[in-house]
Amino acid sequence: MNRRRRPTIRDVAEKAGVSIATVSKYVNGQQSFSQAVEDKLRDAIDALGYSQNALARAMVTGRTTAIGLAVMDLANPHYSNVVKGANRVALANGYNLFVVDMEESIAAVRPLLEALAPRTDGLIVSARIPNDVTDWLAELDKPVAFLGQPERDDVLTVGTDSVQVAALLAQYLVRQGFKRFGYVGYSRASSNADRLRGLRRVLEPAGVELLVFDVDEPTNEAGERAVARVLLRPDRPDVIIGWNDLVAIGMMNEARSLGFKVPDDVAFAGIDNIPISRYVTPPLTTVDVCSQATGEVVMKKIIAMIEDKPQPTGLTLEPALIIRESTQRQFT
Amino acid sequence: MNRRRRPTIRDVAEKAGVSIATVSKYVNGQQSFSQAVEDKLRDAIDALGYSQNALARAMVTGRTTAIGLAVMDLANPHYSNVVKGANRVALANGYNLFVVDMEESIAAVRPLLEALAPRTDGLIVSARIPNDVTDWLAELDKPVAFLGQPERDDVLTVGTDSVQVAALLAQYLVRQGFKRFGYVGYSRASSNADRLRGLRRVLEPAGVELLVFDVDEPTNEAGERAVARVLLRPDRPDVIIGWNDLVAIGMMNEARSLGFKVPDDVAFAGIDNIPISRYVTPPLTTVDVCSQATGEVVMKKIIAMIEDKPQPTGLTLEPALIIRESTQRQFT
DNA sequence: AAATTGAAGTTAAACGTTTTCCTAAAAATG
DNA sequence: CATTTTTAGGAAAACGTTTAACTTCAATTT
């Protein structure tokens, strides 16, 4: 490796024949300069190809103009959309967004965040993480926000209410006339319990049955593997709700290849409203959890916090039912 | 904001009654210590909740143990998979991976990379970027790798050969018996030209016609919007190749809702083999471009470069044809 | 014309680490 | 027991910036 050292402010100063302070002020545009100095600086800078070292700058200013976002799994389009929303707002406000993927591994999150924290002005964590980590974060000298967590009074939280999301979907399905519900959840996610609560809150008063199953990872493949267990029961559900759209799509696909007609033999619904849900056959009914808006809102809030405008700690977005053909059955 | 300063090495040193050099050596495990000092240090550190400031560390060591990856669009599952592969290898080798999304905007890439460069030990750029930026990167004091670029002799490049990818697909389709080809490309991507070359190389000798169309962004929606133009032509193609799976899926979906039977009226094929292609109806024929392997390989290479093991500059992976129902037509 | 103000630049400390020498004491050697 | 070697720990410089405080010197005011 022919590893050339990057030119520093010192090199520029020397070449231009001024002090490093002057260079600093020039690149940050903090003062006016005589024509002569300005020319020399401009020339020196692009002769050397100088650009500021963000690290050194961050050290002394204490500001990085970067924000960190840790997500559970970038392969899940829900998170991609959160990132999209957040990124757009960050860039528009002069911040960089650094995304890290925790690979659905709650254990590894602490070192990841410890690495990320000093490099950023604020942290967004899109996952339920252990309490000791949450506490460590809350004690940090940086604004922190959580996504998909229940509200806490000491940290900013943005997202939809899991109970409400599940209830909304259940309500619609009950009204459609479905009688036997299956829920294929992901018990490792802590909001799974909230979703179950939401379902039960609607289904119990309506007197409909709920069978609960579990999946070991929130993916298409897991859905595929899981669905046979559900369909082969004597009291087979007439509608199956997946932990998220990925799981629902996997289940729906496998059900069809097992010869079930969707939605006539069995209906499917998901949660998240990822873009692809519109393109599967039949198009998937789901609940929009405002993925992109979540990213946008949390980024706006955290930037406001960084810039010292006080902010409310919690913010709940309104989920929206997205009705598509996967649940449009004619009941006779 | 009740902004507590993070405890520094100095705080720890004072609390433990030793010098900061000792603390540094302790946290980096570079020396043995007397029992007394070791106890005091351990206690002080977790009493204060101290953790190293990666910024300061990076300043003096010149190493960040982080690698930056800039992708065109995180919402595209192809890139998500690249990230997945890269992340896994990075973590396994003690590096952090910071991902930034350039939002399909070539213009904004330079400042993004300038921000990323000093914070990382190496940079991976998953996009064709303007030559001046490429040159700037190549002159940097860091290992740099490109994805999806044609090979260059001065920088590391990993990926499949676009010409070969297109040719592979065309070959199979010709052999299937398709006679009129449509290609809906994305001319803003510079590998579009390579793919066209690959198609022509196969189609011209075979004497089959090729109609070329263009899409203004590589998404489902753009595919949807584009397909009518193709289908309404008097010399309608009997097979349509999309710039990538996303475009192909959008087109296929819209074609079906316009009443076309796939693959009997018109067949579709994509490129990338994103996970969802298996789940659409009919399942999509495509070419696997080794998304995840690309991420893994490039990360291994760049880590080797960082750690000063010399590496070859270019590496081409073998694409694989994935045959599914979207092109399985019975020719009579 | 003397005094005041303002503009353009400079000096030096600071940010939180690591690391190269040093020193002093302890342990090993003869 | 005197000498040498090893070990545990410390002092201070360095990394590339920003910024507060200061100096000049020219322009304005009285």
Side-chain angles (χ1 to χ4, degrees), chain B residues 296-317:
Chain B
E296 290 168 4
V297 168
V298 73
M299 185 54 75
K300 275 184 203 148
K301 294 277 171 193
I302 212 165
I303 288 176
M305 287 170 72
I306 292 170
E307 293 170 357
D308 263 327
K309 294 155 197 147
Q311 290 293 314
T313 58
L315 193 72
T316 301
L317 302 179

Side-chain angles (χ1 to χ4, degrees), chain B residues 2-24:
Chain B
N2 171 23
R3 225 168 273 189
R4 261 177 307 287
R5 206 172 48 83
R6 277 188 101 179
T8 75
I9 202 173
R10 211 157 255 114
D11 301 322
V12 175
E14 192 175 356
K15 181 144 198 162
V18 299
S19 77
I20 61 167
T22 305
V23 180
S24 174

Side-chain angles (χ1 to χ4, degrees), chain A residues 74-77 80 220 246 274-276, chain B residues 73-85 218-220 244-247 249 271-277 289-292:
Chain A
L74 268 178
N76 183 336
S80 312
N220 285 322
L246 291 176
I274 63 178
I276 201 67
Chain B
D73 178 16
L74 267 179
N76 183 336
H78 165 65
Y79 292 111
S80 312
N81 279 329
V82 172
V83 171
K84 280 288 170 191
T219 62
N220 284 322
N244 62 13
D245 288 354
L246 290 175
V247 171
I249 289 170
I271 290 175
D272 277 357
N273 190 27
I274 63 178
I276 201 70
S277 299
V289 297
C290 318
S291 318
Q292 196 157 322

Side-chain angles (χ1 to χ4, degrees), chain A residues 213-278:
Chain A
F213 302 84
D214 200 54
V215 102
D216 59 348
E217 53 170 36
T219 62
N220 285 322
E221 288 77 14
E224 271 181 298
R225 288 193 303 267
V227 77
R229 257 179 21 242
V230 186
L231 292 174
L232 296 180
R233 289 183 60 116
D235 53 346
R236 160 159 64 86
D238 54 6
V239 59
I240 304 178
I241 299 172
W243 160 254
N244 62 12
D245 288 354
L246 291 176
V247 170
I249 289 170
M251 292 196 297
M252 189 161 78
N253 199 63
E254 180 67 6
R256 297 211 316 150
S257 73
L258 290 173
F260 289 86
K261 296 237 172 311
V262 180
D264 292 329
D265 294 336
V266 54
F268 287 93
I271 289 174
D272 277 356
N273 191 27
I274 63 178
I276 201 67
S277 300
R278 225 154 62 71

